[in-house]
Amino acid sequence: MAVFNLNINGKQHEVDVDPSTPMLWVLRDHLDLVGTKFGCGIAQCGACTILVNGLATRSCITFVDSVGDKEITTIEGLSENGDHPLQKAWIEEDVPQCGYCQSGQIMNAAGLLNANPSPSDEEIEMAMHGNICRCGTYTRIKKAIKAAANS
Amino acid sequence: MTTVKTKLDRRSFIRSSALAGGGLLLTFSWLAPACTTDSPKQLTMPDEWYELNGFLKIGNNGAVTIMSPNPEIGQNVKTSMPMIVADELDIDWKFVMVEQAPLNTDIFTRQLAGGSQSIRQGWNGLRMAGATARRMLREAAAHEWKVPVDEITTEAGVLYHTGSGKEAGYGEMASAAAELTVPEEVELKDIKDFTIIGTSRKNVDGPKIVTGKPLFGLDYKAEGMVIAMIEHPPAFGMKLKSFDATEAKAMPGIIDVFAIKTYNDDYEWQWSDVTSFTELVAVVGKSTWEVMNAKLMLNVEWEPIADDNAQGVPVGKENTTDHYKKMEEAAANSSRERRRDGNPEEAFKNAAKVIERTYTAPFQAHNPMEPMNFFADVKDDFAQLAGPTQTPEFMENTVAARLGLPLEKVDVQMTRMGGGFGRRLYGHFMVEAAVISQKVKAPVKLIYSREDDMSYGIYRPAYHALYRAALDADNNLIGFHVRMGGIPDSPLHANRFPAGSVDNYLAESFSVDTNISTGAFRAPGSNFNAVAEQSFLDEVAEAAGKDPIQFRLDLLKRAQENPVGSNNDYDAARYAGVLEQVREKSGWDTNSEGKSRGVAAYFCHNSYVANVVDIANKDGEPVIEKVYASVDCGIVVNPDAAVNMTEGSIVDGIGHAMYSGLTFSEGQPEQNNFDMYRLIRHGEAPKEIEVHFVENNIDPTGLGEPPYPPVMGALANALYKANGERYYHQPFVKNSIG
């Protein structure tokens, strides 16, 4: 076990965990930030996506000891009042069905828009390739990302 | 004007009471049958379904709360079911709060998500509840204002009396209404007067979903809760022999490691129980990561299940290659007749042309994005459970039996489900969580890893179908033969189209035993029938030199005007209706030049869907440019949500037909995570989906399943147009990972 000081959603958090613990479980089990979802554990589904220094990252394979003082953003910290352009677009397009994968989709899209504020359809498809939606809401996700990019 | 009864014989479908703190509480049977005065005998459901299980609350401040009685699995019933109540109540939707109803209070029973039945079965009961509340509020106002009740009108949650100019919000009359007797009969709105039904309302949980609020079972937390995982046999046909937990127990954060039995020896199985792995090793610890690591340190010995096992499970370790051979043999040797019209043998003998094709499909894992999990807190005299389940009530029975507690001492709360697709009908994980909690005497959250989830599946069965068609010299379809089976169940629906449209028809089924656990998977049976049958009909139409839509419409015309046989279980006019609509909307007759298009239509779970799929070739790879859908599910309650459900089903159908399959080697699933089991991804979805609904005033039917099967057939037929190849075996893409 070791103590880590983490910068999450603009606040400092101290956790005492095994250094090999993935950020996914640090967030979910130790900090009660459960918006970040467990889907596969091997970076194949994208449900656990967070931003590390603004970059979309799979938290299930990001070990706590690799994070240092980097800025972590989770779905809970994407905006203060749920009014990030992506969150608003997600509501407007009424994207979710079961909803489980959607925080990962939104965080991945946020990483995409950070790097590329007005992505083409093809760029959206490529950037979102790693995020599975089992309910099949892909067409709406694409619409929502484009709407957010244009806002 | 339609009138419905609120009671029949001595049975009441609705009950009123005063709300603590002021207001009206109505509890009602959301599964109340269509007790209209026109058809009082329309009673086909078992008695217990009439129990009061819906819930409507009007506070004296005017706040309206509607409990959504059914589990929310992504089919959006948590929004659409309350919409039905709110419309009859005549309240502004923005004043309505929606809550998920808990299970196992006095008032909620028979809660199940499955078979696309929530809206269909809830329609009358939900309307009755809203209409009854509105009637009672009007009566209360009439009494207060001393005017005839017929003169009281309502609009958007306000009661009006035009003559005297009086008006009052619902909240002001709610407590007085609670004093009244429930009327025995209430009037329902005319369909043309609906103000909420038929308008698009956003998912009531949307804001919580996009901000990551705890909604799902996996997010559940309780004071003092520990984490548990299970280790199950690596292969079907195996069971626990012995284990050494020394190393696992020594791992940090580990509380205990022990074996559990999911069922008592003398337990009587019910349909939602699973018999494949009934003895497991449980690892319990303080955090998920610590438990995952300790699980790796387990030393477990497994052995083949006994010949005379209590569950009657067949022995042996099965292989995919044998599965297909066994189905072929069973098809040839042990098929049983399910329907016969005319003289099919004679028709095939006299045919000018016979077309014969075989189709197969693999086992598939449900793979809801939220892996199986459940919370349980079992005390000596009471058990509390919470989590994602499609069958809370069935599993409550199983849990009570296993713990040795009376039913009323087991409480199951439903959380939102991160997908189900049929997987959460089978709640063995609830029993496992309960047994583990009982042993460690602490609140436990049981979590399956993705690998556990995929390798301890209740899979979609593997299927095999032989289709034969006989054409005469004029290319008329004079004989049709289907022989269809699966491991372990046949998906055959013998009385569905084209039964009823062909003079000489033969349907047969067969089945092959297995020890692999299987169960319902989105649109059970239909999820294979549609692709096989609709691909086959495309070939038959081609052999007959006919347009594939016209060919189907001609058959449906026959079924409508002069049906063969009497027990055809589809409405040929509605079937034809979706085909005609998709023909028009896709410009099939005017805009097909240069396009690789395929068509299919299917009926299941009481709704009708037709698709046209357009494919383009891009760098030698097929790209799905556009999918058209025409849907007849009766009245559409929440149109944009219905479009969403249809779009999702289309993406899901294409994905499973193209990419997804589970194979077995020596009883072991060969894929156990998404690096090996392929699911459709963003870029593979259609570039555009256009959904149309057939407008009518027929009571609504379900939409969770019907749009899933037909698109697979339309896809296969479009792929044929694009590359000249017919697709007989799923998944269509052979270079799928794994």
Side-chain angles (χ1 to χ4, degrees):
Chain A
M1 303 294 261
V3 174
F4 296 91
N5 275 299
L6 302 168
N7 177 357
I8 299 169
N9 299 332
K11 282 187 200 135
Q12 286 299 125
H13 292 267
E14 191 184 283
V15 289
D16 185 6
V17 294
D18 184 287
S20 75
T21 310
M23 277 307 296
L24 169 66
W25 299 113
V26 172
L27 293 167
R28 292 187 58 86
D29 279 0
H30 302 277
L31 299 171
D32 287 342
L33 292 167
V34 295
T36 306
K37 299 301 187 206
F38 169 55
C40 69
I42 57 167
Q44 292 292 315
C45 79
C48 68
T49 306
I50 57 171
L51 299 180
V52 179
N53 282 349
L55 209 68
T57 304
R58 305 293 185 242
S59 67
C60 70
I61 55 160
T62 304
F63 301 112
V64 65
D65 67 354
S66 73
V67 170
D69 56 2
K70 289 176 197 150
E71 283 177 27
I72 304 281
T73 311
T74 71
I75 186 75
E76 292 90 346
L78 186 62
S79 65
E80 261 186 40
N81 305 306
D83 54 1
H84 184 280
L86 282 165
Q87 290 168 316
K88 281 177 18 192
W90 243 251
I91 295 286
E92 194 45 43
E93 298 293 337
D94 214 15
V95 174
Q97 285 188 26
C98 87
Y100 191 79
C101 75
Q102 299 295 352
S103 44
Q105 303 275 1
I106 291 171
M107 295 312 287
N108 202 71
L112 164 66
L113 294 186
N114 283 345
N116 179 359
S118 52
S120 67
D121 281 19
E122 221 163 57
E123 287 168 334
I124 293 174
E125 285 172 16
M126 276 172 64
M128 301 300 291
H129 184 80
N131 288 73
I132 295 173
C133 172
R134 180 65 182 78
C135 301
T137 65
Y138 296 131
T139 40
R140 280 181 188 238
I141 289 172
K142 198 195 280 177
K143 267 188 219 158
I145 294 174
K146 285 165 80 168
N150 292 330
S151 71
Chain B
M1 185 73 71
T2 309
T3 312
V4 292
K5 291 185 180 300
T6 62
K7 54 163 60 174
L8 195 69
D9 302 330
R10 279 162 299 154
R11 204 187 299 282
S12 284
F13 300 132
I14 200 153
R15 189 170 67 194
S16 80
S17 51
L19 203 57
L24 170 68
L25 172 67
L26 285 184
T27 50
F28 60 95
S29 170
W30 68 274
L31 289 172
C35 291
T36 61
T37 43
D38 302 320
S39 53
K41 296 287 177 204
Q42 214 177 324
L43 294 172
T44 51
M45 280 180 273
D47 279 358
E48 64 266 32
W49 285 39
Y50 302 130
E51 286 176 33
L52 301 176
N53 51 15
F55 178 103
L56 166 63
K57 210 161 63 171
I58 303 171
N60 58 7
N61 57 358
V64 173
T65 308
I66 301 170
M67 283 275 189
S68 180
N70 253 29
E72 175 61 62
I73 196 165
Q75 80 283 47
N76 212 17
V77 287
K78 192 169 170 186
T79 308
S80 52
M81 295 181 87
M83 282 173 68
I84 299 169
V85 180
D87 204 326
E88 286 289 351
L89 176 61
D90 205 7
I91 179 92
D92 194 326
W93 179 245
K94 65 174 181 268
F95 298 128
V96 176
M97 307 269 292
V98 179
E99 290 174 17
Q100 174 70 59
L103 182 81
N104 196 37
T105 69
D106 287 344
I107 49 179
F108 301 102
T109 56
R110 285 289 149 186
Q111 292 160 310
L112 182 147
S116 298
Q117 296 303 304
S118 299
I119 291 289
R120 176 169 172 255
Q121 294 180 342
W123 177 245
N124 284 298
L126 295 165
R127 290 183 73 188
M128 179 196 67
T132 303
R134 178 171 169 269
R135 171 76 193 185
M136 291 172 76
L137 291 162
R138 286 169 65 220
E139 282 180 13
H143 192 252
E144 170 92 14
W145 298 335
K146 300 187 174 47
V147 296
V149 66
D150 291 347
E151 291 178 11
I152 309 271
T153 57
T154 61
E155 196 186 331
V158 182
L159 296 142
Y160 295 96
H161 183 252
T162 317
S164 62
K166 290 196 160 92
E167 61 174 80
Y170 281 1
E172 296 170 59
M173 293 294 167
S175 292
E179 303 293 316
L180 302 173
T181 312
V182 173
E184 291 200 7
E185 214 174 73
V186 291
E187 285 173 359
L188 298 180
K189 272 188 177 177
D190 280 338
I191 287 166
K192 65 173 172 45
D193 295 329
F194 285 151
T195 56
I196 297 174
I197 293 165
T199 64
S200 294
R201 306 292 164 156
K202 297 200 185 303
N203 188 329
V204 294
D205 276 342
K208 288 182 184 161
I209 290 168
V210 304
T211 52
K213 295 284 181 302
L215 286 171
F216 299 93
L218 212 64
D219 305 338
Y220 198 90
K221 191 161 186 179
E223 191 63 34
M225 184 179 85
V226 296
I227 302 291
M229 297 187 81
I230 51 108
E231 182 84 1
H232 66 77
F236 290 89
M238 301 288 281
K239 68 179 178 65
L240 179 65
K241 185 183 179 192
S242 65
F243 68 101
D244 176 359
T246 319
E247 287 179 73
K249 272 187 181 172
M251 294 288 284
I254 296 310
I255 295 164
D256 205 354
V257 179
F258 49 88
I260 60 164
K261 269 174 92 164
T262 324
Y263 306 101
N264 295 327
D265 290 337
D266 55 353
Y267 175 67
E268 279 182 41
W269 306 91
Q270 57 174 352
W271 70 270
S272 51
D273 294 326
V274 178
T275 55
S276 42
F277 303 133
T278 56
E279 277 185 82
L280 308 157
V281 180
V283 182
V284 183
K286 288 182 192 156
S287 73
T288 312
W289 185 243
E290 287 170 322
V291 173
M292 282 178 166
N293 282 324
K295 218 182 123 182
L296 298 174
M297 306 307 288
L298 278 175
N299 290 305
V300 190
E301 267 194 86
W302 312 97
E303 62 184 356
I305 55 172
D307 286 337
D308 57 346
N309 64 81
Q311 293 84 32
V313 175
V315 295
K317 290 194 259 181
E318 301 179 18
N319 292 291
T320 293
T321 42
D322 297 336
H323 283 148
Y324 287 112
K325 261 186 252 158
K326 278 184 187 168
M327 285 197 285
E328 217 175 307
E329 281 165 22
N333 303 321
S334 61
S335 288
R336 294 175 63 182
E337 188 171 307
R338 300 295 179 190
R339 171 166 172 154
R340 170 182 288 267
D341 297 307
N343 189 337
E345 288 80 4
E346 192 69 17
F348 278 92
K349 209 167 80 189
N350 297 333
K353 237 183 260 177
V354 171
I355 303 130
E356 179 177 322
R357 299 288 182 265
T358 299
Y359 300 83
T360 63
F363 289 95
Q364 288 174 330
H366 295 84
N367 283 325
M369 288 313 292
E370 180 191 17
M372 296 307 110
N373 67 86
F374 230 81
F375 169 85
D377 185 8
V378 178
K379 305 268 198 300
D380 287 345
D381 57 350
F382 189 76
Q384 197 219 325
L385 284 86
T389 170
Q390 287 176 257
T391 49
E393 186 172 342
F394 289 103
M395 289 317 300
E396 189 185 42
N397 286 315
T398 305
V399 170
R402 176 62 182 84
L403 297 178
L405 285 172
L407 202 54
E408 63 272 19
K409 297 292 181 193
V410 178
D411 177 55
V412 181
Q413 302 287 330
M414 286 177 287
T415 59
R416 190 178 182 88
M417 281 173 265
F421 312 100
R423 179 62 181 86
R424 291 186 227 274
L425 293 164
Y426 312 97
H428 52 90
F429 44 87
M430 296 168 69
V431 191
E432 292 156 16
V435 172
I436 294 168
S437 172
Q438 194 176 40
K439 174 81 168 51
V440 298
K441 298 187 191 311
V444 165
K445 184 162 68 183
L446 171 70
I447 296 175
Y448 276 35
S449 67
R450 176 58 57 190
E451 290 81 3
D452 295 333
D453 190 285
M454 213 182 291
S455 58
Y456 183 179
I458 317 297
Y459 307 107
R460 197 283 298 266
Y463 292 133
H464 171 112
L466 169 79
Y467 279 94
R468 295 166 68 223
L471 296 173
D472 68 11
D474 298 324
N475 284 319
N476 296 306
L477 181 62
I478 55 168
F480 194 90
H481 175 204
V482 54
R483 180 183 285 165
M484 183 176 256
I487 308 174
D489 308 310
S490 172
L492 179 72
H493 293 102
N495 296 319
R496 280 193 192 161
F497 182 75
S501 70
V502 191
D503 285 314
N504 305 293
Y505 175 91
L506 176 63
E508 300 169 299
S509 71
F510 64 88
S511 58
V512 174
D513 267 358
T514 183
N515 56 30
I516 296 166
S517 42
T518 62
F521 186 107
R522 192 173 209 173
S526 303
N527 58 36
F528 174 65
N529 292 353
V531 58
E533 170 203 297
Q534 292 292 310
S535 303
F536 183 65
L537 285 180
D538 206 65
E539 278 202 69
V540 177
E542 188 183 39
K546 293 179 183 170
D547 172 79
I549 293 185
Q550 196 54 50
F551 175 70
R552 288 168 171 85
L553 287 173
D554 290 346
L555 291 172
L556 287 161
K557 192 168 176 222
R558 166 72 201 276
Q560 200 182 340
E561 291 173 354
N562 181 25
V564 182
S566 56
N567 49 354
N568 304 315
D569 63 3
Y570 60 95
D571 180 328
R574 293 180 77 185
Y575 219 129
V578 290
L579 271 165
E580 278 160 0
Q581 191 186 51
V582 87
R583 175 163 71 176
E584 182 212 322
K585 298 294 182 187
S586 68
W588 182 266
D589 295 330
T590 55
N591 190 29
S592 289
E593 198 59 37
K595 287 194 162 78
S596 300
R597 343 183 84 168
V599 67
Y602 204 69
F603 160 72
C604 66
H605 301 276
N606 313 99
S607 298
Y608 301 77
V609 179
N611 293 119
V612 165
V613 170
D614 286 354
I615 287 181
N617 266 310
K618 200 178 166 199
D619 310 324
E621 286 292 313
V623 172
I624 301 165
E625 291 267 282
K626 186 158 183 177
V627 177
Y628 297 86
S630 170
V631 180
D632 181 352
C633 58
I635 294 165
V636 181
V637 176
N638 191 359
D640 189 52
V643 169
N644 194 352
M645 187 53 56
T646 306
E647 291 169 348
S649 298
I650 285 168
V651 172
D652 191 14
I654 290 170
H656 277 89
M658 290 285 271
Y659 310 116
S660 305
L662 192 79
T663 56
F664 291 86
S665 173
E666 294 295 306
Q668 184 163 8
E670 293 183 291
Q671 300 79 27
N672 68 5
N673 208 327
F674 299 130
D675 55 339
M676 293 185 283
Y677 190 95
R678 187 167 170 190
L679 290 173
I680 190 168
R681 290 174 183 270
H682 274 267
E684 294 149 352
K687 302 301 167 206
E688 192 183 349
I689 300 172
E690 190 178 306
V691 181
H692 298 275
F693 293 95
V694 174
E695 280 184 36
N696 57 40
N697 287 341
I698 300 169
D699 284 359
T701 47
L703 212 51
E705 292 166 290
Y708 177 67
V711 69
M712 305 186 213
L715 170 70
N717 299 335
L719 284 168
Y720 167 66
K721 292 287 183 186
N723 59 26
E725 223 180 295
R726 290 283 182 186
Y727 290 81
Y728 301 108
H729 309 290
Q730 292 178 45
F732 298 159
V733 177
K734 290 302 164 208
N735 61 354
S736 282
I737 30 180

